[in-house]
Amino acid sequence: MYQRHPRVVAQEPFWADLQPRVALVERGGSLWLNCSTNCPRPERGGLETSLRRNGTQRGLRWLARQLVDIREPETQPVCFFRCARRTLQARPTLWISTPSPSWPLGSKPRRAEPWHFQQPWFPVAERPDRVELVPLPAWQPVGENFTLSCRVPGAGPRGSLTLTLLRGAQELIRRSFSGEPPRARGAVLTATVLARREDHGANFSCRAELDLRPHGLGLFENSSAPRELRTFALPPEPPRLAAPRLLEVGSEGPVSCAMDGLFPASEAEVYLALGDQRLSPDVTLEGDALMATATATASAEQEGARQLVCNVTLGGESRETQENVTVYSFPEPLLTLSEPNAPEGKMVTVTCAAGARALVTLDGIPAAVPGQPAQLQLNATENDDRRGFFCDATLEVDGETLSKNESAELRVLYAPRLDDSDCPRSWTWPEGPEQTLRCEARGNPEPSVHCVRPDGGAVLALGLLGPVTRALAGTYHCTATNVQGQAVKDVTLTVEYAPALDSVGCPERITWLEGTEASLSCVAHGVPPPNVNCVRSGEARVVEGLLRVVREHAGTYRCEATNARGSAAKNVAVTVEYGPSFEEVSCPSNWTWVEGSGRLFSCEVDGKPEPSVECVGSGGTSEGVLLPLAPPDPGPRAPQIPRELAPGTYICNATNQHGSMVKMVTVSAESPPQMDESTCPSHQTWLEGADAAALACSARGRPSPQVHCSREGAPRPQRLRVSRQDAGIYRCLATNAHGTDARIVTVGVEYRPVVAELAASPPGGVRPGGNFTLTCRAEAWPPAQISWRAPPGALNIGLSSNNSTLSVAGAMGSHGGEYECAATNAHGRHTRRITVRVAGPWLWVAVSGAAGGAALLAAGAGLAFYVQSTACKKGEYNVQEAESSGEAVCLNGAGAGAGGGGGAEGATEASGTAEAPAGGEVFAIQLTSA
C-alpha cells in the first residue's frame, strides 16, 4: 500500500499543492499535472519536470501541464509559486509502509516510521506482452513429478501482477505478487506436478493478469502458448514371446509377442526378428494389452539354431525377450510300386525310401539302417485290388523325434463278377418315394452294368435317384462289361403300392330298384392284391352277397381296401328308387284355403326319383282349374299366391319313372274379417235428444264375423236418448275363426243452440255520454250464428267480428230500450233480451211510480225497429254479423241495430235514479237484463 504525506508547514498560512499526488501511468501514456496555491496574488509560479510536455494551461492561482509519451519514471516533479516574497513549493514524497512479520494474524498493524526514499513519483506500467511456459519433457512417466515453470519478463509493477498455471481450463496454482515494490518488474511461477494417465495429451498453459484498475487503468491479461504433455507407463517385466521350438525349412510358423500394462498402448512400437530376418507383425490392442502376431518362414540358409527377438519400445524406453528356434530339413518319404495297375497274376515290387538321416518303415517292417530303403514283393490277385501300402520315415531333431509318411494303392485288373450281394436276383420296392436302383459288379476297370427288359420295355436307370413307379415292374437282363470280359444275370423287379379305389371298380353312386336283387362289390387295385370290405354307416356288419332290395337299404356305405402297403377308403352312396305313394299327413284329402293367408296347397308325395304332382279341378267352378301347389323347397321361383281360389274337388296325380298314383282332394275357401269406409264409416254423427242407437258398422268374411264396438276411455252409459256426452272415439272389432279386423270411428253429437249468457258491462248505471257493452254467448253444434235487435233510433252501435259483442260509445237517450240476442244453427233458434234505460229529468217527470215506469218501458219497446238487409245504402256502414253469416246490418249515420225474429223472454227492470246538477241536463242509462 502506497501513502503520500504532503509536506505541510503549520506556521505558514500559504501553501502550494501538486495533483495528482500518486499516479500510475502505462508506458507511452499521458497525464495531466495540476499545480495550485492558496496565495491570493501569487507573483509567479511554475511546474518543473523532466518528462515531455504537450501543453500548458494557466489561471491566477493554478497552472496545469500535460505530460505525454511517458516511458521513464519521473523521480521528483516540483510545483512552486512566489508569494509575499517567499517561494512556496510542493515536492511529493513516496512513503512505503511495510508491516512487521511478527504481527499476529488478524491484529491491527502498529504505525510504522516513515522511510524517505528518492523513488519515482510516476511509476510506469508494463503490460504482460510475453508469457512463457518452459517446455515440457517429450515423455513423462506416470507417477513421477515434473516441473511447470512460467516466466513473464518486464511486466509490472509486479505488485499488480497475478500468475496462474492451468491444465486445460483447470487452475493448478494461482499466485499474486501484491506488496512488491513499485520498481519491481517481471515474475516467475514454478510448480511441481505429479504425472497421471489422464494428463496424457493434456495442454498446460500459464495466464498472466495485470490489474491496474485501482490506478485508473484497466485489467490486462495474456496467456502462454499451450504445451502438450505426453505421459506413459511401461512395466518392468519383459514381453511374453510364443513361437515353435522347431521350424522346418520351407515351412511357416506362427509367432506372437504380448505385453500388458502399457499406456498408451497405441504409442508402443514392436520389433520382431528371426535371426537376421525382420518380421512384419500384425498388432492388436485391447485396453492396456498389446498382442503382435507374425508368420516366420524358414529358409535353407537359416538351417540350425537361430534366435527369435521381440522388443517393445514406449516413451524412449524398451523391454525385450529372446527365444531359441531350431531350423531343420526333413524331405518327404518316397513310396513306389513297380506296377501300379497290374493284371491278375502279375509280380509287383514295392519300395520305401527317405533322406540320408531318416529311418524308413514299410508296412511295419523297418529298414536295416537309417538312409537305406525298405522293399517287399507280391503276386497280384483279385483280393489285392485297392490294397494300400504305408511308408513311414522318422528323424530326430534337437531331442525330438519327427515323423512323415506316404501311402500308395495297388490296382489289380480282372473281369466282372455279378454277385447276389451286389446285384440281387429279385427286388421288391414300394411305389412312390425316390430310390436308387443298384446292380453293381465287381471288376477292374470298373464294369458298366445295363439292365434291359427282354420285351424291349423299360430300362433301369441304375445308380440314379428317381421315383419308383408300377410301370417299372418286370424281369430284366443285366450285363456287366469291362476290358477284361463280361458277366450276365436275370433280375426280377416287383413294385408294391397301396390300394386304390377308382370310379370304374367302385363307383361313388349306385342306384337299386326296390324289389330287385343286387350286391355291393368294390374292386381295388394294388400290389399285393388288397382285401375289400364295405360297411353301412353307423353299423359294424360287413355287407356280403345278394340282397333283396328294400328302401331301407338306401344310405352311405364305407368301402375300405387294405394290403401290406396301406389302405384306401371310399364312401359309396346307395340310392333305392320306388314308385309314388300318397300319405294323408303330407297330402290331406280336405283343405281349407283362407283368403290372404299366403298359403299354398302342400301335397308331398313319397317316391324316388321325386314324383311330379299336378292337381286339376274335376267339376263345378273348379273344372279344369290347376290347384297351386307349395314347392317342397321354397325358392325365388315359387308359384304366385292366388287372390281367389274356386272351391270344389281336385284330382292330384303323382308320376315318376317307376309309376303313378291318384288322390281326390276337396278344397273349401274362407276369408278373415274385413271392414272399410263403406261398411264402417270412420266419422258418424248423432243428434242430441234422438233415440239411442248403435254404430253403423258391419264386416265382410267367411264365416260371417261378429262386430263389437266400444268407446275408448270412459264406457258409454246406457240411456234411451242421445246425449252430447256420447261423443268420442269408438273402436270396432270384427272377429271370425281366421282372425280379426279393427276400425276406429269418431262419433260427433250435434245439438240446438242455447243463449247461455247475455251480460252488460258496466253492470251499474251510466250517465249520458258514457260507454257500455253487451256480450252474448251461445252453446250449439254446429256453432250458432249470432244476430241482434236494437231499439229504434239507437245510433253509434258497434259489433265484434263474430257479432258476440255489441258496444256503444257516448250513450244517448235514444239508446234506451230492449236489446235482443238470437243464436241460430241447422237444428233451431234461441233468443234472450236485455233492457236498456236512459235516466234523466224527463224520466222523473214522466214516471212517478213503478206502474208508470212499466208503462213507459212498454211504450219504448213498441218503438223498437228491426232492420235486416243484404245491402247497405249510400253513407251506411256494413258490419258482418258472424263468421259464417251472409246477412249484413246497416247502420245509418252513427248507428243502427240488427236483430232477428223469434220469441223473447220477459225482462226484469232494475231500479235506478239520476240527479240533474244546476246549469244543465243530466241523463242516466239503467240496464235491465232479461
Side-chain angles (χ1 to χ4, degrees), residues 259-284:
M259 192 171 187
D260 300 332
L262 296 172
F263 176 80
S266 59
E267 299 286 343
E269 297 179 0
V270 180
Y271 170 81
L272 271 176
L274 176 60
D276 297 334
Q277 178 190 4
R278 181 167 182 175
L279 307 180
S280 300
D282 184 11
V283 180
T284 58

Side-chain angles (χ1 to χ4, degrees), residues 720-767:
L720 297 178
R721 296 189 177 277
V722 176
S723 170
R724 67 186 66 180
Q725 282 77 24
D726 294 335
I729 305 298
Y730 290 76
R731 186 173 187 270
C732 293
L733 189 68
T735 307
N736 70 2
H738 300 298
T740 60
D741 189 18
R743 189 164 179 83
I744 301 300
V745 178
T746 301
V747 174
V749 177
E750 297 183 354
Y751 46 90
R752 296 167 55 85
V754 173
V755 177
E757 179 185 3
L758 180 60
S761 177
V766 179
R767 293 178 181 273

Side-chain angles (χ1 to χ4, degrees), residues 288-344:
D288 291 346
L290 174 146
M291 172 66 75
T293 57
T295 301
T297 304
S299 62
E301 293 79 10
Q302 293 178 312
E303 190 171 357
R306 291 291 180 266
Q307 195 173 59
L308 182 66
V309 178
C310 175
N311 183 281
V312 179
T313 302
L314 179 61
E317 298 183 13
S318 298
R319 303 289 185 268
E320 184 175 283
T321 300
Q322 297 180 358
E323 295 287 346
N324 290 328
V325 177
T326 300
V327 179
Y328 67 95
S329 176
F330 186 12
E332 296 287 337
L334 181 62
L335 179 62
T336 58
L337 281 73
S338 60
E339 290 282 348
N341 298 298
E344 194 174 12

Side-chain angles (χ1 to χ4, degrees), residues 438-768:
R438 298 187 181 277
C439 180
E440 297 178 351
R442 292 186 296 109
N444 193 16
E446 183 177 356
S448 61
V449 183
H450 298 277
C451 295
V452 182
R453 233 169 14 204
D455 58 1
V459 177
L460 292 181
L462 299 175
L464 299 178
L465 182 65
V468 177
T469 64
R470 62 192 69 179
L472 295 177
T475 300
Y476 293 82
H477 191 68
C478 297
T479 303
T481 306
N482 69 2
V483 295
Q484 302 296 322
Q486 69 176 13
V488 178
K489 190 176 188 179
D490 288 337
V491 174
T492 300
L493 175 60
T494 301
V495 178
E496 295 184 349
Y497 51 91
L501 293 168
D502 56 20
S503 298
V504 176
C506 189
E508 290 83 0
R509 297 183 180 276
I510 298 176
T511 301
W512 293 341
L513 180 61
E514 188 178 31
T516 63
E517 288 186 346
S519 64
L520 181 59
S521 61
C522 277
V523 178
H525 304 284
V527 177
N531 182 32
V532 182
N533 291 320
C534 295
V535 178
R536 186 173 180 176
S537 297
E539 299 180 0
R541 185 172 60 86
V542 175
V543 179
E544 295 178 332
L546 286 175
L547 300 174
R548 186 71 179 177
V549 177
V550 295
R551 62 186 67 183
E552 287 76 14
H553 287 146
T556 301
Y557 293 79
R558 183 172 180 83
C559 296
E560 185 172 9
T562 307
N563 68 3
R565 291 298 173 186
S567 63
K570 188 174 187 180
N571 288 333
V572 177
V574 175
T575 302
V576 177
E577 294 185 352
Y578 45 91
S581 64
F582 287 101
E583 298 270 346
E584 183 65 23
V585 175
S586 58
C587 187
S589 300
N590 293 281
W591 181 62
T592 300
W593 176 76
V594 179
E595 180 184 357
S597 63
R599 292 179 54 207
L600 298 173
F601 181 59
S602 176
C603 184
E604 297 181 3
V605 183
D606 190 15
K608 280 194 179 296
E610 183 179 351
S612 62
V613 183
E614 187 179 58
C615 297
V616 181
S618 63
T621 59
S622 64
E623 179 72 30
V625 177
L626 289 177
L627 182 63
L629 301 179
D633 296 320
R637 296 195 176 186
Q640 185 174 5
I641 300 173
R643 291 177 175 235
E644 294 183 359
L645 185 64
T649 301
Y650 290 80
I651 299 176
C652 295
N653 186 14
T655 305
N656 69 2
Q657 63 190 32
H658 302 299
S660 64
M661 182 168 278
V662 174
K663 184 173 184 177
M664 305 292 290
V665 177
T666 301
V667 177
S668 59
E670 295 184 355
S671 61
Q674 184 178 9
M675 292 189 296
D676 54 20
E677 191 68 24
S678 63
T679 61
C680 185
S682 59
H683 290 82
Q684 300 185 26
T685 302
W686 295 343
L687 180 62
E688 187 177 36
D691 293 338
L695 286 175
C697 274
S698 63
R700 294 187 295 271
R702 288 191 301 270
S704 181
Q706 297 292 327
V707 179
H708 175 72
C709 298
S710 61
R711 188 169 69 172
E712 293 187 351
R716 178 187 177 189
Q718 295 293 331
R719 53 170 64 94
L720 297 178
R721 296 189 177 277
V722 176
S723 170
R724 67 186 66 180
Q725 282 77 24
D726 294 335
I729 305 298
Y730 290 76
R731 186 173 187 270
C732 293
L733 189 68
T735 307
N736 70 2
H738 300 298
T740 60
D741 189 18
R743 189 164 179 83
I744 301 300
V745 178
T746 301
V747 174
V749 177
E750 297 183 354
Y751 46 90
R752 296 167 55 85
V754 173
V755 177
E757 179 185 3
L758 180 60
S761 177
V766 179
R767 293 178 181 273

Side-chain angles (χ1 to χ4, degrees), residues 20 39 49 90 113 130 252 258 269 298 377 382 386 435 466 494 520 535 548 652 719 741 825 854 870 905 908 922-923:
C39 180
T49 176
E113 292 297 329
R130 290 172 54 199
E252 296 180 346
E269 297 179 0
Q377 290 183 333
E382 176 189 347
R386 296 186 180 277
Q435 301 287 348
T494 301
L520 181 59
V535 178
R548 186 71 179 177
C652 295
R719 53 170 64 94
D741 189 18
N825 70 0
T870 57
E905 300 179 1
T908 302
V922 176
F923 296 92

